Each structure stands twice: as structure tokens, then as C-alpha cells.
Amino acid sequence: MSTPDTRPTSEQWPIAAAMLPFPASQDAPGDAWVDHLAEVAYEGFTEVDLTDSWVRVGDLTPARVDELRDALRVVGLDPVALSAIRRSVIDPVAGDDNLAYSHRTIDAAAALGVRVVSVGLHRPLLPAQREAFWFWTEQGPVDANDVETWDLAVHRLRELGRHAAEVGVALSLEMYEDTLLGSAASAVRLVNDIADDNVGLNPDLGNLFRLHGPVEDFQAAVEACLPVSNYWHVKSYFRDEDREAGTYVALPAPMEMGSVSYRTAIRTAVEAGFTGPFCVEHYGGDGLSVAARNARYLRRMLAVATGEARASVLRAAGGDR
């Protein structure tokens, strides 16, 4: 359990921008990387998540890793985290390759000074998902749920966690629908079965809340997941349900306007002792501007949850309680 002496203040708390809004830039010149990262810094961010849909650091040469480090330095961004997405280590086809890629990514992340690497069990989008306006409205790949698949996930993710610990990086497991990390109960069980203090959960519950079908209660999932979480992708959606008609709709929304209360969720997280970094995400439109808005909102909610807001109001009002 964190205490006021061990957790960051609301202003100190690492809140990273995801690089999701930017195009794939693996082979781009270093100046293009600087251009993209400068946009992030201009929006007020001091931390960034090096999402590998932008640059796959695990596939960079050492010289290009140095080039990326220089780009981060010149714009003043701290690469607090790296998210390796859709590279499941239990993918029936590409699992072995994805495991090797994940190991390379951990080493490159450590060289860049990254503190958390987030991996998941979600796989590449299927053709129907790529063609849809919102990819989550179409069915994606589904993990097998047999003992052999579960044991393989435990073994390989534990292997990655131990490697990460050796190079001073934490490993976080991103929740995603139709995977072994696709519900609060299954995700917490997987973390507990891995049983490595260096491996925690990334409770990206927005991935589940946006589904066009019944979903588990958001706040109950937060209560279950945050005690074993070490990193958190946050985003929100407007959601509407007509269960009798069987219709469900979810559209991306700024965190303060969406259909779940992050005011409540952040308080739950702080009370559970969560001290990990956040990563603000948004799909559609100007995702970076909405992410920046989300970061400002998140700092306010952290101030509320930690008691800083109350203390500030009482000081300003001359109160003595």
C-alpha cells in the first residue's frame, strides 16, 4: 500500500502520451522522429510511451536506438514506458517470433531508459476489423482457453518478466478482449500464476468497455485489477445499451465526458496503492489533443484522490482542518 511519503504527487506522477496518433515511422530519418516527439512535448507532456505501432525499437540497430535516444533528449521527453502491441507470445502462428521480438524490445527499452514495457496477448487485426470504421465493432482473434495455452502464457510471460528484471525494467500485461487477459478475473489469475514481483497488470479496461455487447462492471473491474497493476493505459468511451433490443454502441470520448467515472476509478487506484505510470490514449480525430486534455483531467483527479485538492482549498480558504 502506498503512502503520501512513497507515492508521487499529482504533478510528479508520470503521465505519458501514447504514440498511437502518429504514422508508422520505423525507417523515418531522425528528424522525423524529432518532429513527432516535439508535437507531444508541445502539448505539455514530459513523458511518452514509445508505442511500437510508431517505431519498433526491438527491430532497430544499435545506432538507430542511439538516434532515438538523441531525439528524445533534444525534445525533453522521458520514455517512461514502451507498449509492444499485437505481438502475442502465444499466437498459434507467430508466437515464437513474437517471443524473440519481445526479448529484443526489452533490451532496447532498457538501453533507452524505459522503466515499463507493456505487452499483451492480442493479435493483429483481421481483415474485417481493418476495414471497419471502428475496429472493435468486428470480431477479432480469440485465445484458446485450454490448460496447455494457459501454461504456455504463464511460462513465456514469466520468462519475459525475469529478463526485464535483469535489465531493470518492469513488465506489464495489457488487458484486451478475447484473450487470457480479457476479463478482470482471468487477468488477475494470470498475474498471480506468473508469481513474479516484476510482472504486473496494465488494466486497459477501455479495451473491454468499448465492445458492442455486454461488458463487466467497470468499477468492479478496477477494484479487482488495480492491486496487481503497475502501469495503466487510460481512455474512455460514450456507451449506450438497449439490452432488450440487443443493441450496443461505444464511441471514443474524453475521459471526463465518457460513460465511466474516472474520478471514482482513480480514487480506487490510489487507495489500492497504485503508484505506476499512466498512459493517456484516444482513438479518432485529433487523438493527441484529446490525450493532452485527458492528462490534465487525470492530474486533477489524482489531486482529488490523494487529498491534495482538499488541502489546497482549505489553505486558500484559511481553514484549519
Side-chain angles (χ1 to χ4, degrees):
M1 180 73 66
S2 67
T3 68
D5 295 330
T6 60
R7 70 183 175 225
T9 67
S10 60
E11 286 303 313
Q12 295 169 339
W13 213 299
I15 300 176
M19 292 303 288
L20 287 169
F22 294 92
S25 302
Q26 186 72 13
D27 299 320
D31 281 348
W33 291 349
V34 171
D35 288 345
H36 294 167
L37 294 168
E39 288 189 47
V40 172
Y42 185 72
E43 291 294 337
F45 288 98
T46 54
E47 289 88 18
V48 66
D49 179 312
L50 299 175
T51 322
D52 73 346
S53 58
W54 176 63
V55 171
R56 302 184 310 278
V57 302
D59 288 339
L60 294 177
T61 65
R64 294 231 74 193
V65 170
D66 290 342
E67 197 172 0
L68 180 54
R69 185 190 301 109
D70 288 343
L72 290 159
R73 177 185 53 79
V74 298
V75 301
L77 284 176
D78 176 7
V80 67
L82 186 156
S83 292
I85 58 176
R86 304 194 183 281
R87 301 297 291 259
S88 170
V89 296
I90 59 169
D91 186 310
V93 175
D96 291 346
D97 289 343
N98 291 344
L99 179 63
Y101 170 79
S102 299
H103 279 295
R104 296 196 306 273
T105 297
I106 288 169
D107 283 331
L112 288 165
V114 170
R115 298 193 287 285
V116 182
V117 169
S118 176
V119 300
L121 297 176
H122 40 312
R123 296 181 236 161
L125 298 174
L126 297 178
Q129 292 179 291
R130 292 196 296 271
E131 294 169 6
F133 191 85
W134 300 118
F135 63 83
W136 56 83
T137 63
E138 294 288 342
Q139 179 62 53
V142 179
D143 278 349
N145 197 24
D146 53 74
V147 172
E148 292 77 12
T149 302
W150 184 272
D151 288 346
L152 181 63
V154 168
H155 173 77
R156 288 188 164 182
L157 294 171
R158 183 185 289 142
E159 175 184 324
L160 291 179
R162 289 175 176 172
H163 176 193
E166 290 171 357
V167 295
V169 175
L171 189 73
S172 196
L173 310 181
E174 181 182 353
M175 294 180 68
Y176 199 91
E177 78 269 13
D178 294 326
T179 73
L180 301 184
L181 293 159
S183 71
S186 183
V188 170
R189 179 189 162 205
L190 188 58
V191 170
N192 288 337
D193 281 4
I194 292 168
D196 186 325
D197 289 342
N198 197 52
V199 179
L201 195 59
N202 171 359
D204 192 342
L205 295 166
N207 289 342
L208 310 182
F209 186 73
R210 69 190 176 197
L211 298 180
H212 284 202
V215 297
E216 64 182 307
D217 180 84
F218 184 89
Q219 300 299 345
V222 169
E223 291 181 15
C225 293
L226 265 295
V228 298
S229 297
N230 59 0
Y231 184 46
W232 195 358
H233 289 174
V234 289
K235 53 182 175 281
S236 195
Y237 295 83
F238 296 116
R239 183 175 175 85
D240 187 43
E241 299 184 1
D242 184 339
R243 298 186 184 186
E244 185 173 343
T247 58
Y248 302 84
V249 176
L251 300 171
M255 286 172 62
E256 63 195 291
M257 299 178 182
S259 297
V260 297
S261 171
Y262 272 98
R263 183 180 292 265
T264 300
I266 298 304
R267 189 185 300 275
T268 299
V270 169
E271 290 174 351
F274 177 75
T275 58
F278 291 88
C279 176
V280 285
E281 299 181 323
H282 185 78
Y283 285 99
D286 183 353
L288 180 59
S289 290
V290 179
R293 177 179 187 148
N294 286 345
R296 294 189 293 272
Y297 166 77
L298 184 52
R299 291 208 188 277
R300 297 205 318 272
M301 294 306 98
L302 285 166
V304 170
T306 60
E308 295 171 30
R310 179 182 188 274
S312 175
V313 168
L314 292 181
R315 282 196 305 272
D320 56 4
R321 290 191 297 169

